[in-house]
Amino acid sequence: QVQLVESGGGLVQAGGSLRLSCTASGSIFSINVMGWYRQAPGKQRELVATITSGGSTNYADSVTGRFTISRDGAKNTVNLQMNSLKPEDTAVYYCYVYGRASFSGQRDYWGQGTQVTVSS
């Protein structure tokens, strides 16, 4: 199995910054994609940003230019630097991994979520 542990959420004023981190551990065989999704109250979970093992990134239009995703393959860690935060960025942020555990096929893994609240 693969476990994901997130850190870095919290409360920040509009215009401020936060950095989220997520580390994958367990019987990891390979990781193809790491990333972040978010879910605001009353809304569906949505993509924030992803990064592949080759370093290709994908961002939601709403965060492009403000958020930066990075990855440390050796440590199985993915980070999300969030700048110029807006109240509409308030949500629970979930770490996401698409990969393979030992003796298992490729599948999605999710963290438990970390709250990000941006006050106006």
Side-chain angles (χ1 to χ4, degrees):
Q1 286 294 334
V2 176
Q3 296 82 41
L4 304 180
V5 178
E6 301 138 332
S7 62
L11 173 65
V12 65
Q13 288 188 334
S17 298
L18 283 175
R19 182 178 176 87
L20 304 183
S21 293
C22 172
T23 299
S25 63
S27 54
I28 300 168
F29 182 80
S30 64
I31 294 178
N32 297 102
V33 181
M34 301 186 81
W36 295 90
Y37 284 69
R38 67 187 182 187
Q39 188 167 18
K43 295 186 177 181
Q44 290 188 333
R45 191 173 296 189
E46 63 177 6
L47 168 77
V48 177
T50 58
I51 183 167
T52 68
S53 57
S56 296
T57 58
N58 183 42
Y59 293 92
D61 289 343
S62 59
V63 307
T64 298
R66 300 187 297 122
F67 291 9
T68 302
I69 191 169
S70 61
R71 174 176 175 172
D72 184 335
K75 297 181 179 179
N76 290 326
T77 296
V78 62
N79 302 303
L80 185 69
Q81 179 65 43
M82 305 185 293
N83 298 329
S84 302
L85 282 160
K86 304 175 181 180
E88 50 263 44
D89 294 318
T90 295
V92 177
Y93 284 69
Y94 295 91
C95 180
Y96 165 79
V97 162
Y98 179 70
R100 181 184 168 191
S102 299
F103 309 109
S104 176
Q106 301 268 13
R107 54 160 285 187
D108 299 329
Y109 294 91
W110 295 94
Q112 78 283 0
T114 185
Q115 177 70 46
V116 171
T117 303
V118 184
S119 63
S120 58

